[in-house]
Amino acid sequence: MSALAQTLAAVEIKGNLGSIGYGLAAIGPGVGVGIIFGNGTQALARQPEAAGLIRANQILGFAFCEALALIGLVMPFVYPTS
């Protein structure tokens, strides 16, 4: 490969790293939210009298997972690749 072709290939890859990184970063919070609400639903089915406590813990866990997703969204802008 010539030097020009290598430079062009590096520029094309470098421009898309932020979107690829956010796509990968969104997997974790997505799985986390699914686990939180899936297990919360099971807990509510087993102990309906503890609905207030379970729901409060679900909301707290959801907020933490979404905070991670927002951090993943902002990081490509904070640390640009180019």
Side-chain angles (χ1 to χ4, degrees):
M1 236 176 152
S2 70
L4 179 62
Q6 288 177 346
T7 304
L8 289 175
V11 169
E12 289 175 22
I13 292 172
K14 201 173 196 180
N16 294 324
L17 287 179
S19 59
I20 292 171
Y22 177 64
L24 292 175
I27 293 172
V31 170
V33 167
I35 290 171
I36 287 168
F37 285 108
N39 289 338
T41 303
Q42 286 182 2
L44 284 171
R46 292 176 190 219
Q47 288 186 321
E49 67 274 4
L53 180 64
I54 293 168
R55 190 170 297 120
N57 286 331
Q58 277 185 322
I59 292 171
L60 186 63
F62 176 74
F64 285 140
C65 282
E66 287 303 311
L68 290 175
L70 290 175
I71 289 171
L73 175 66
V74 170
M75 281 302 122
F77 297 110
V78 173
Y79 299 108
T81 56
S82 52

